[in-house]
């Protein structure tokens, strides 16, 4: 398969890339140094290049993230909103708009975002994060609607938080309770191919339960 991983240079992106590469799939990994996902024309050109070079896309795993919070609701910084709008919403818009036509033509495509439990229970200081993730979920559900009747699916995976080996090494006594290991996240993404596209299209798959 041909799998695009955005945010590929971080620990999560590396785990997901490794997961697909070890099974012989081709991973096109994108970090900020490769393509600025805030540049719509550059993302369109990326999709055109993938189509020229591979003809198809079988997976788009969108892993660009970021977090901002404030001590209280009243102290919320709208600069933080602007930051999260770009990271969590605008990059998703560019990537999904550019790759939807290729996903529609895929014989077994998956589009994945990773959202947070925070969307279900926004905290006073977490308004910008919860609202930005809620918007990215709604956007992804609209993509799912666009993919209805095709062989592709758009799916929201939900975690409380992610943990990787570097985090465990830095805090050896921390329990990271309820966290999802990035390798388990990768397996969950791979598992979406074990189910028919129609079954995972437009669902919110909670990895914390
Ligand atoms: N970490 C958590 O606890 C947690 C909780 C809930 C949901 N999630 C979601 O899970 C996913 C992975 O999380 P994460 O913590 O591994 O993500 P992250 O480290 O916050 O972001 C992943 C990568 O996104 C890249 N990026 C940022 N802006 C970009 C741009 N304009 N163009 C291209 N690349 C850009 C960065 O690449 P460079 O390094 O090249 O700048 C970064 O390595 C994210 O969608 C996040 O929202 C994470």
């Amino acid at each position: 398969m041909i799998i695009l991983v955005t945010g590929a240079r971080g620990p999560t992106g590396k785990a997901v890339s490794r997961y697909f590469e070890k099974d012989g799939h081709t991973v096109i990994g994108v970090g900020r140094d490769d393509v600025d996902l805030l540049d719509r024309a550059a993302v369109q050109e990326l999709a055109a290049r993938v189509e020229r070079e591979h003809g198809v896309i079988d997976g788009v795993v969108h892993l660009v993230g970021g977090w901002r919070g404030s001590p209280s609701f009243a102290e919320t910084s709208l600069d933080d909103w602007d930051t999260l709008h770009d990271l969590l919403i605008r990059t998703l818009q560019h990537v999904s708009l550019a790759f939807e036509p290729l996903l529609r033509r895929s014989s077994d495509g998956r589009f994945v975002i990773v959202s947070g439990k925070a969307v279900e229970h926004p905290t006073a200081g977490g308004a910008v994060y919860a609202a930005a993730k809620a918007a990215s979920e709604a956007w992804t559900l609209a993509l799912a609607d666009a993919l209805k009747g095709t062989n592709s699916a758009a799916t929201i995976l939900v975690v409380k938080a992610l943990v990787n080996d570097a985090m465990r090494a830095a805090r050896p006594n921390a329990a990271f309770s309820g966290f999802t290991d990035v390798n388990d996240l990768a397996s969950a993404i791979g598992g979406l191919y074990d189910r028919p596209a129609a079954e995972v299209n437009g669902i919110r798959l909670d990895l914390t339960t």
Side-chain angles (χ1 to χ4, degrees), residues 6-13 30-33 35-38 62-66 87-88 91 114-116 129 133 159-162 185:
T6 62
R9 310 287 170 231
T12 313
V30 172
R32 207 190 303 246
D33 290 346
V35 178
D36 179 5
L37 298 174
L38 292 174
H62 186 61
L63 294 175
V64 172
L87 287 168
L88 302 183
T91 63
V114 183
S115 189
Y129 181 77
K133 273 298 188 194
V159 301
K160 173 183 152 188
L162 295 171
L185 175 75

